[in-house]
Amino acid sequence: MNRQEFLERLRMLLGDLSEEEREAAVQYYEDYFADAGPEMEDQIIQELGSPEKVALMIREGLRGENAGDEYAETGFSQTRYDDRKMPVDYTKPGEEASDRKPWTSRTLKIILIILIICVGCSAVIPAVSGIICGILGIIAGMFGIFFAFVIVSFCVAIAGGGLVIAGITTMFSAFPAGLLICGIGLLILAAGILLVAASIRLCSIMVPVVFRFLVSIGRRIFYGRRGHA
């Protein structure tokens, strides 16, 4: 920005003032540039700052808000606009925004992560525990049914065998009754043997299925979708 651009910008920014006030302010800086000479033009512009800053100072001076303002050798200025009055968080000339430290700290981030983990665990752990206990309960119930079926089958077979023995013993004293008991015992024994065979076959089919189901759940929990690859 050169002298002419600075003054034109300043005149435009002061467009809401009266013509007399605007021209007086612009004329002051025109005279100041003229007194300094063309060779000092860049230095004067750098000392004055932006036209917006100068226009703001002029308006505040006209309103009587002139705490710390004065017409100095470098023109109309206010000491409260000096860099030494600015907050330390502001970026100074020549300072990159990336050089400023972030407002967050490593300790704060660690604390937030710990809080998130604690809150998440308090909600996730009970839910996961409930799901696991429910699955284990279902599996235990299934195994209980299988083993109960096997035990009942063996009991039926044993009862049938006992009746056969009782029938044979009874034949020596009452042949017809002993024969009847022996026949009933043989039927029950046959049914018991069939039930034992069926229960063993059922267990041989269902137990591997249950174990594969458990392995599948474990892979989903610990490996996610990769467990199926």
Side-chain angles (χ1 to χ4, degrees):
M1 178 179 293
N2 56 30
R3 166 187 172 180
Q4 189 62 32
E5 291 173 344
F6 184 93
L7 294 174
E8 290 297 329
R9 177 65 177 170
L10 180 60
R11 181 178 281 105
M12 182 183 68
L13 292 171
L14 298 175
D16 57 329
L17 302 180
S18 65
E19 183 177 357
E20 181 180 355
E21 292 173 334
R22 181 174 64 253
E23 293 303 323
V26 174
Q27 185 61 46
Y28 174 86
Y29 285 97
E30 285 183 348
D31 295 342
Y32 181 71
F33 275 109
D35 293 341
E39 65 279 1
M40 298 291 294
E41 181 176 312
D42 293 338
Q43 181 179 346
I44 296 302
I45 292 175
Q46 184 176 2
E47 291 175 352
L48 292 176
S50 66
E52 287 79 5
K53 173 184 172 181
V54 175
L56 176 61
M57 292 189 296
I58 291 173
R59 284 195 182 87
E60 292 183 351
L62 293 174
R63 291 197 299 265
E65 300 175 5
N66 55 355
D69 57 346
E70 59 182 0
Y71 279 92
E73 294 182 358
T74 57
F76 188 82
S77 64
Q78 290 186 347
T79 55
R80 62 179 172 178
Y81 290 103
D82 294 341
D83 288 341
R84 64 177 179 274
K85 300 294 183 179
M86 298 298 285
V88 295
D89 290 340
Y90 283 24
T91 303
K92 301 296 184 64
E95 178 186 7
E96 297 294 336
S98 59
D99 295 336
R100 290 178 290 176
K101 296 181 179 180
W103 67 271
T104 55
S105 64
R106 183 183 182 87
T107 304
L108 180 60
K109 291 179 180 179
I110 294 174
I111 294 174
L112 290 175
I113 291 173
I114 293 174
L115 290 175
I116 292 173
I117 292 174
C118 291
V119 174
C121 289
S122 63
V124 173
I125 291 178
V128 174
S129 300
I131 294 173
I132 293 175
C133 291
I135 294 174
L136 293 177
I138 294 173
I139 293 172
M142 294 173 62
F143 276 108
I145 293 173
F146 294 155
F147 286 122
F149 188 63
V150 172
I151 292 173
V152 169
S153 300
F154 275 106
C155 289
V156 171
I158 292 172
L163 287 175
V164 171
I165 295 173
I168 293 173
T169 304
T170 305
M171 281 192 220
F172 292 102
S173 58
F175 184 78
L179 186 62
L180 178 62
I181 294 173
C182 187
I184 295 173
L186 288 173
L187 291 174
I188 294 176
L189 177 61
I193 293 172
L194 290 175
L195 288 175
V196 169
S199 62
I200 294 174
R201 177 61 178 170
L202 181 61
C203 288
S204 65
I205 294 174
M206 295 305 298
V207 170
V209 171
V210 172
F211 277 107
R212 283 197 296 269
F213 177 70
L214 292 176
V215 171
S216 176
I217 292 177
R219 287 179 178 177
R220 286 178 179 272
I221 294 174
F222 294 103
Y223 300 103
R225 296 182 179 275
R226 292 180 298 175
H228 299 281

